Structures are given as structure tokens and as C-alpha cells.
Amino acid sequence: MDVLSDLLHRARARHTRVHQLIQRPPWSMAFAEPPALTVVAALDGPASVRLLEHPSAGPVPLASGDIALVRGSAGRYVLADGPGTAPQVLIRDGTKQVLDAGAVSERSLGPRTYGDGLPGATTLLHGAYGFRGAAGEHLLGLLPPLAVVPGREGSTAALRLLAAETARQEPGQEAVLNRLLDLVLVLALRAWCTRPDAELPSWPAALGVPAVGEAIRLLHAEPARRWTVAELAARVGRSRTVFAAQFTRAVGEPPLAHLTAWRMVLAADLLRDTEATVAAVARQVGYRDAFAFSTAFKRARGLTPSDWRVRHGS
């Protein structure tokens, strides 16, 4: 499994929701207390997204086929037909508060589909994700507060299929919608992470660097292995000295420091989600000595493994 797929699997997206808006301009909706990640896709007509906590960024237009990924940590945001339309409704915790008499239509046009459905309407897909644990935080760390991915042929086809399924109500519909929304998310993340101008943490960008990317994949695939820099260098066909310098330059930290950081992500979720002892968790992430593991974990998370479990455990 590649690194991004593994991270998505470990993040275990939950509480996914998807709705469709078919609304003639002018329309505008403000969202308070957003989920961990929101996926917005423009299908037809004008649309824009604006982060209210980041006014200097300004509204970002969405062309047909564009996908916007909004991090929950970015705070409140507005979806509208254009930057000049003031918010008409406020969505907070699933409740709609009308702010303007000419508010967005609440008329149901079908399952999970709302608006007026009139000619010239904007069609927009809105999906919400919750992520769990340290892996979810790690995944969200790949993204800025707002990432907009231009429409592509592959993603456009997936969006059309998701829109069609959103308006259906058949057995197994939720499972179909969840998987299609996952597909759209993966396509958007992949497109974002491969953009040459994307502002990424060093390690995802380094996945495309020869030898370094392969080493990262090896470390993530076998985090409990007792890796050495010499073994990693041999596996990717480099001398130890050249490999260590290349990895550190590309990732921003030495190979074993990167391995330790990934182990702490895995350990945090094992402590949160399982009843395994601290010693057992230590062994699962590559530490034979529970004391050494506890020291490394406290350095990374600011709490001992036992205290972390008490504070964050399910």
C-alpha cells in the first residue's frame, strides 16, 4: 500500500455526509463549526468559497469541475454564487438560521438535494468528513486551510457519478455515497500533492524524489522494523552518506527521525483505540524497551503514554 493510501486508511474517515445544492443566483451560505474536512465540488454555474477567519486570502472562485478542500481548523467559511453575495443563511451544527429574507431555497428536490432547481442554477456538491486520531491529524497536515484543485477529466466523471447517486435512494445508498465521496477526496488529494506549486510538508513532496520516496515508503510500510540508515541506503541503491544527506535535504529531517515521528503517530492511535499495554504498543511500533518508547512518546506528544491514554482514550 502506498503512503497516501495507508494514511487515508489509518485516518478512518467517519460521519461522512454529502448533499447537493441546485440554486439560482444570488445565493450564499455561511458555515460555522465545520467538520474536520469539507469537500466542495462545483458542477455547473458560478461559485466561490471564502474563509471568514482569513480575510486577507479573499474569495476563491470555483469553476466547473473544481474541488475545494476546507480544513475545519480554518474556521467559518462561506459558499456563494460569487464574492459579492452576502451570507443569506448560517449553518451551525446541522441547523439552518435565516439571515436574509431572500434566503437560499429549502425546497427538497430529491434525496439529499435542495434548492430551487430553476434554469441557470448553480449545482454544487458538499461533503463533510470527520477524521479520527493522530493519523487523521497527520492527513490534514498535508493541506492548507483551503486547497482548490482544478477540474480534471477523471475527477469530473467521479463528480457526475456522485451527483447522480446523491439524488437516488436505494438499498446500500449510504455505502455507495461514502465510497464515491472517498474517491473524490483521494483524487483531489492526489492532484494537490502532485502540484509543483503546492505548499506541502516536506515528506509528501519528497515522495517524488528518487531513492528518498522509496525509503519513505519502506519506513511507512514496516515501521516496527529495526531500520538502520545503512540498510535503508542499501535497499534504495545509494551509499549511506549520499542517501542520508539526500533524505535530510528533501524531507527536512534524518531518516530515523522521520521514522520516529511516524511511529509516534501510530502509537498515539494504538493507545487511543486499543487496550494493549504500553509495553505491547511499544513493541508494535518497533521499541523493545518500554522505557525508551515512553521517553520518545513524551518528547513527541508532551504526555507519557499512560497519561495520553487517560486524556484521549475512547
Side-chain angles (χ1 to χ4, degrees), residues 20-24 105-118 121-123 166-168:
Q20 185 172 205
L21 176 73
I22 306 176
Q23 180 76 32
R24 187 172 58 175
S105 173
E106 290 186 328
R107 185 159 64 93
S108 175
L109 303 176
R112 309 170 199 83
T113 304
Y114 304 92
D116 54 34
L118 296 174
T122 297
T123 302
T166 299
R168 300 173 65 145

Side-chain angles (χ1 to χ4, degrees), residues 196-243:
D197 60 336
E199 297 180 3
L200 293 170
S202 296
W203 73 264
L207 287 170
V209 178
V212 175
E214 179 59 24
I216 293 173
R217 286 186 279 273
L218 289 170
L219 293 174
H220 282 240
E222 298 184 80
R225 187 185 181 100
R226 296 181 65 81
W227 290 104
T228 64
V229 176
E231 182 184 5
L232 273 172
R235 291 281 292 271
V236 300
R238 296 287 192 275
S239 73
R240 183 188 185 283
T241 303
V242 169
F243 166 72

Side-chain angles (χ1 to χ4, degrees), residues 47-255:
S48 71
V49 58
R50 175 164 53 99
L51 303 181
L52 294 178
E53 313 296 336
H54 300 261
S56 60
V60 178
L62 299 178
S64 179
D66 287 357
I67 302 172
L69 304 176
V70 186
R71 287 182 53 172
S73 60
R76 300 171 300 151
Y77 67 94
V78 172
L79 294 178
D81 63 292
T85 306
Q88 301 163 333
V89 297
L90 174 67
I91 310 296
R92 186 191 299 274
D93 196 26
T95 301
K96 184 176 182 179
Q97 177 185 349
V98 177
L99 303 176
D100 186 307
V104 176
S105 173
E106 290 186 328
R107 185 159 64 93
S108 175
L109 303 176
R112 309 170 199 83
T113 304
Y114 304 92
D116 54 34
L118 296 174
T122 297
T123 302
L124 200 72
L125 286 172
H126 184 270
Y129 271 100
F131 288 111
R132 180 173 177 81
E137 296 169 1
H138 210 60
L139 175 64
L140 292 172
L142 300 178
L143 297 169
L146 171 63
V148 176
V149 178
R152 295 184 175 185
E153 184 176 347
S155 60
T156 300
L159 289 174
R160 295 293 180 187
L161 182 57
L162 178 58
E165 290 293 333
T166 299
R168 300 173 65 145
Q169 189 67 285
E170 297 183 4
Q173 198 67 40
E174 290 300 323
V176 171
L177 289 172
N178 287 344
R179 282 156 180 77
L180 285 175
L181 187 59
D182 285 346
L183 173 60
V184 170
L185 173 61
V186 172
L187 291 173
L189 284 172
R190 185 170 66 184
W192 177 258
C193 290
T194 55
R195 284 179 58 179
D197 60 336
E199 297 180 3
L200 293 170
S202 296
W203 73 264
L207 287 170
V209 178
V212 175
E214 179 59 24
I216 293 173
R217 286 186 279 273
L218 289 170
L219 293 174
H220 282 240
E222 298 184 80
R225 187 185 181 100
R226 296 181 65 81
W227 290 104
T228 64
V229 176
E231 182 184 5
L232 273 172
R235 291 281 292 271
V236 300
R238 296 287 192 275
S239 73
R240 183 188 185 283
T241 303
V242 169
F243 166 72
Q246 186 181 17
F247 189 103
T248 303
R249 184 168 56 252
V251 180
E253 59 185 353

